[in-house]
Amino acid sequence: MHRRTFLTSAAVGGLSLALAAEPKKARKLLLRSSWQTVNIGDIAHTPGMLALLEKHRPDDEVTLWPSPLSAEVEKLLLARFPKLKIAKTKDEQTAALAACDFFLHGSGPGLVGKAAAEQAKAAGKPYGFAGVTLSDAELKDNRELLSGAKFVFTRDGDSLKALRAAKIDGPATDFGPDATFALDLKDEKAADELLKVHKLEPGGFLCAVPRLRWTPYWEIKPESVKPNPERSAVNEAFADRDHAKLREAIVAWVKEVKLKVFLVPEMTYAVPRLKPLLFDPLPKEVKEQVAVLDRYWLTAEAAGVYAKAAAVASFEMHSPIIAVANGTPAVLLRQPTDTRKGQMWRDVGLNDWIFEIDDAKGADVAARVVEIGKDLPAARKAAAKAREFAHEKMKAMVAAVG
């Protein structure tokens, strides 16, 4: 069965409609989210979910239980959501859990907030998981925790199939997209300044985003993560092979669409790799049309730039989601070391905009990116349709709080 058909089947659709029809009552919600700040996608989960709650549950009082926040990210959140309460210390988190009416685990790569969810379960608090990817190991090791949830929404169809196949009795289950699809956080001023510095015109450039097959956390957090020689070897073996295909698309974009390219990072570790992986091997005449961001950026600035881009082509997952959240077409290049989350591109109907990198030819990636660039109105229409579908499913997800 086609993935989109599976996700919109009568059974799944019936559950979503039933949940969406539940009357909304004011609640004190404790949102466990904000997993890390070295990734604009992990930052984006939280303001996306907060925007959903603000729109569909405006009377609820929301407290965020984050992993450590940087001062800059906290400032971003409070500027957009001034009523938000943040429980940063252990005492504040304990008090927030005791006071809440519902514990909501936000979207993410898995049961990242497992310990907090177990505390909610032990305290007798109703709880649910909204937009998570689940591995087979997590399903096997957390049956009791999952069975006690009111609902488990997975952000990809493969996780949903695995969850249902595991026959974990108790929670309602459905497809619930990554909350980043609801992101409305944008720093327009910073984006305009960045475009001016790099001589880019709104609607006149492609953003290209690299990724190694394994995120080198041993570089990002050397104080807590030991080097991994095996994963480093995989990264080294495939880095140029993977990115050669994206470079082919960049060359075709410049020569055939005749627009510029902006090389940007999704994670901190990617900044020093933008040039060696994507810029340096380009032909001289193409380099003249390619700009490179020489620093990390935060989600609001990135969203502002993606909103002004003609399109995005990315090995990372969340840059495409942020792009589509802003109506910008985005192509996902998926590596085999990635989790099930990449399937969500098919789940929201963007089958033509995802490439399994080991199976794809650079020419195929280039042809699709050029196709988007030569008919941007049609591509924007497709992006808008995917965004609308994601919002329908996310509305049902937050309604499930009850």
Side-chain angles (χ1 to χ4, degrees):
M1 185 180 293
H2 191 283
R3 187 180 309 276
R4 181 68 173 269
T5 304
F6 168 73
L7 292 171
T8 55
S9 65
V12 175
L15 172 61
S16 297
L17 291 172
L19 293 174
E22 288 188 13
K24 299 181 180 67
K25 297 180 181 179
R27 293 282 190 274
K28 286 186 176 182
L29 303 184
L30 180 55
L31 173 62
R32 181 70 180 94
S33 188
S34 296
W35 314 119
Q36 60 180 353
T37 59
V38 296
N39 182 327
I40 61 172
D42 279 324
I43 295 171
H45 293 302
T46 300
M49 183 61 75
L50 291 173
L52 281 174
L53 295 171
E54 178 185 74
K55 180 178 181 179
H56 299 296
R57 306 188 64 87
D59 297 327
D60 287 352
E61 178 184 298
V62 182
T63 298
L64 172 65
W65 177 341
S67 298
L69 286 175
S70 67
E72 294 81 4
V73 172
E74 183 176 342
K75 182 179 178 181
L76 283 179
L77 292 176
L78 292 176
R80 171 61 182 84
F81 305 98
K83 295 181 180 179
L84 177 66
K85 298 181 179 180
I86 303 179
K88 292 185 282 187
T89 69
K90 185 175 181 180
D91 287 345
E92 290 172 342
Q93 292 157 4
T94 299
L97 181 59
C100 78
D101 297 308
F102 195 90
F103 174 93
L104 183 63
H105 186 295
S107 62
L111 304 180
V112 191
K114 172 184 173 179
E118 289 176 333
Q119 290 180 47
K121 178 178 173 62
K125 299 289 182 176
Y127 61 96
F129 300 90
V132 294
T133 288
L134 293 172
S135 66
D136 290 338
E138 283 179 309
L139 289 169
K140 179 181 178 181
D141 296 341
N142 298 283
R143 293 184 66 88
E144 184 177 350
L145 179 63
L146 292 168
S147 67
K150 181 177 182 181
F151 55 78
V152 179
F153 285 86
T154 68
R155 62 179 181 170
D156 64 89
D158 280 359
S159 290
L160 182 60
K161 287 181 179 179
L163 172 62
R164 290 179 171 172
K167 297 181 179 179
I168 296 174
D169 296 328
T173 60
D174 204 345
F175 170 58
D178 191 301
T180 302
F181 278 106
L183 183 74
D184 62 6
L185 190 67
K186 285 198 295 285
D187 190 333
E188 300 272 9
K189 182 179 179 180
D192 286 339
E193 291 175 355
L194 196 56
L195 264 58
K196 184 178 180 180
V197 168
H198 290 281
K199 299 179 181 180
L200 300 169
E201 295 293 332
F205 61 96
L206 167 76
C207 282
V209 186
R211 178 183 185 270
L212 296 178
R213 292 209 170 188
W214 293 108
T215 301
Y217 281 108
W218 52 91
E219 292 181 15
I220 299 170
K221 304 175 182 179
E223 72 284 352
S224 58
V225 180
K226 295 181 179 179
N228 190 318
E230 291 182 1
R231 291 189 172 186
S232 293
V234 171
N235 286 345
E236 185 175 349
F238 288 97
D240 187 71
R241 188 186 310 184
D242 289 349
H243 290 84
K245 298 175 183 181
L246 180 52
R247 294 197 302 267
E248 195 166 340
I250 290 170
V251 171
W253 175 272
V254 170
K255 290 186 175 181
E256 298 182 42
V257 183
K258 300 186 185 307
L259 293 176
K260 292 186 176 183
V261 178
F262 195 18
L263 308 182
V264 296
E266 182 161 313
M267 294 193 71
T268 54
Y269 82 85
V271 175
R273 290 179 166 91
L274 289 169
K275 283 193 171 182
L277 288 179
L278 293 176
F279 183 81
D280 291 346
L282 294 173
K284 181 180 178 181
E285 65 274 16
V286 173
K287 286 181 179 179
E288 295 173 354
Q289 302 301 315
V290 179
V292 183
L293 185 60
D294 61 358
R295 60 173 173 82
Y296 182 54
W297 54 354
L298 295 183
T299 305
E301 184 180 21
V305 170
Y306 291 159
K308 297 175 185 295
V312 171
S314 172
F315 278 99
E316 292 280 8
M317 184 79 247
H318 283 86
S319 287
I321 300 177
I322 295 170
V324 168
N326 285 283
T328 300
V331 171
L332 173 64
L333 308 177
R334 186 168 181 267
Q335 294 158 319
T337 48
D338 203 2
T339 67
R340 287 168 167 160
K341 68 182 180 182
Q343 300 301 330
M344 74 174 85
W345 225 230
R346 298 185 178 95
D347 299 336
V348 299
L350 298 177
N351 302 56
D352 292 338
W353 293 356
I354 179 173
F355 289 90
E356 302 295 335
I357 200 63
D358 275 352
D359 301 328
K361 295 179 180 179
D364 296 332
V365 178
R368 188 55 42 80
V369 171
V370 168
E371 178 184 59
I372 290 172
K374 288 188 173 181
D375 193 353
L376 287 172
R380 291 191 185 104
K381 185 176 180 180
K385 184 177 180 181
R387 179 178 60 187
E388 182 181 353
F389 176 75
H391 273 268
E392 290 175 0
K393 303 300 290 185
M394 289 187 298
K395 179 180 179 180
M397 183 168 68
V398 296
V401 172

